[in-house]
Amino acid sequence: MNANVNVRSGLADKCSPAVAALVIVDMVNDFVHPQGLTVAGNGRAVDAARSTIGPIGSLATAARTAGVPVVYVQHSTMPDGASHSGPWVDARGRATYSSLDICLDGSWGQQVVDELVPREGDLVVKKHRYSGFARTELDTVLQERGRETIVVCGVSTNVCVEATARQGFDLDYYVVIPDDACASWHSGLHEAALATARHRYAVVCSTSEVISVWQDSAP
């Protein structure tokens, strides 16, 4: 092994406020609110998604207190299909509970749910694909703040959370996923995504474990 490689081991080391960032994925009305487009319009169950609001809110509060950056990754569809591509339209046309005009830029559906509205000092990154890193400024935002670890939560575990976490790992971030702060419309897909993450690229733990690290390190 290269003697110059510094490896962070253990949750406390990875989640140290000096190097961690909280990345909240797609906690927006169209995915989480009972009147959101995927729910009211396409019949997706919302209970699992809404169960994450409390844990994510607790994570965000602990992060702010400890000086950990809070980054909201917000799915966005540009008006008139400006963000579409052939592969994207094809995939979305076959996706479960999907719609091509979901999270339309500037709409109520694109907004973060009221319970988790960003606070002053939080960062918001708009994305047009599943991963929060895909052609966005997320990597730049994290690098500028000296972040080495992303604590990823939100919806859906097996789609945008997983895509963001995997690409973050490929960009050499440590990845931590609090399992009670993410959800999917399908419990089997949720568990499968977490199992893969646990075996291959992430630390999967509980919200309380991450909060404990931040509380112990808070100024």
Side-chain angles (χ1 to χ4, degrees):
M1 186 179 76
N2 187 337
N4 295 320
V5 174
N6 178 40
V7 180
R8 292 188 176 275
S9 60
L11 187 65
D13 195 17
K14 291 182 173 73
C15 286
S16 165
V19 300
L22 177 63
V23 179
I24 301 172
V25 180
D26 285 349
M27 293 299 290
V28 299
N29 288 317
D30 268 350
F31 294 136
V32 180
H33 194 281
Q35 297 304 313
L37 192 55
T38 61
V39 184
N42 295 320
R44 183 163 85 170
V46 75
D47 289 350
R50 293 194 63 78
S51 75
T52 69
I53 292 175
I56 292 173
S58 297
L59 281 167
T61 297
R64 295 180 188 113
T65 301
V68 173
V70 177
V71 186
Y72 287 83
V73 175
Q74 185 183 41
H75 190 76
S76 303
T77 298
M78 294 174 66
D80 301 320
S83 54
H84 290 167
S85 69
W88 180 250
V89 171
D90 174 65
R92 296 300 287 174
R94 294 180 285 106
T96 309
Y97 306 120
S98 181
S99 173
L100 280 173
D101 59 351
I102 206 162
C103 300
L104 193 64
D105 196 40
S107 70
W108 170 84
Q110 182 201 35
Q111 295 173 9
V112 175
V113 292
D114 288 344
E115 298 92 334
L116 296 174
V117 65
R119 306 284 182 85
E120 184 178 358
D122 294 345
L123 303 162
V124 178
V125 173
K126 293 182 180 181
K127 68 180 177 67
H128 304 294
R129 296 295 182 266
Y130 294 137
S131 171
F133 287 100
R135 289 175 285 179
T136 73
E137 68 273 26
L138 179 57
D139 186 42
T140 299
V141 162
L142 296 172
Q143 291 294 321
E144 286 177 346
R145 287 158 179 77
R147 301 298 106 179
E148 300 176 26
T149 299
I150 51 173
V151 179
V152 187
C153 58
V155 295
S156 291
T157 316
N158 54 300
V159 188
C160 297
V161 171
E162 181 179 51
T164 300
R166 280 179 176 269
Q167 191 168 358
F169 176 74
D170 286 341
L171 291 169
D172 287 332
Y173 290 97
Y174 296 99
V175 179
V176 174
I177 303 176
D179 57 6
D180 54 335
C182 57
S184 172
W185 70 91
H186 189 296
S187 61
L189 295 175
H190 167 81
E191 293 297 340
L194 291 177
T196 298
R198 185 181 292 112
H199 282 287
R200 285 289 180 263
Y201 64 89
V203 174
V204 178
C205 60
S206 67
T207 291
S208 61
E209 289 176 282
V210 176
I211 290 175
S212 179
V213 172
W214 289 344
Q215 288 178 336
D216 290 344
S217 306

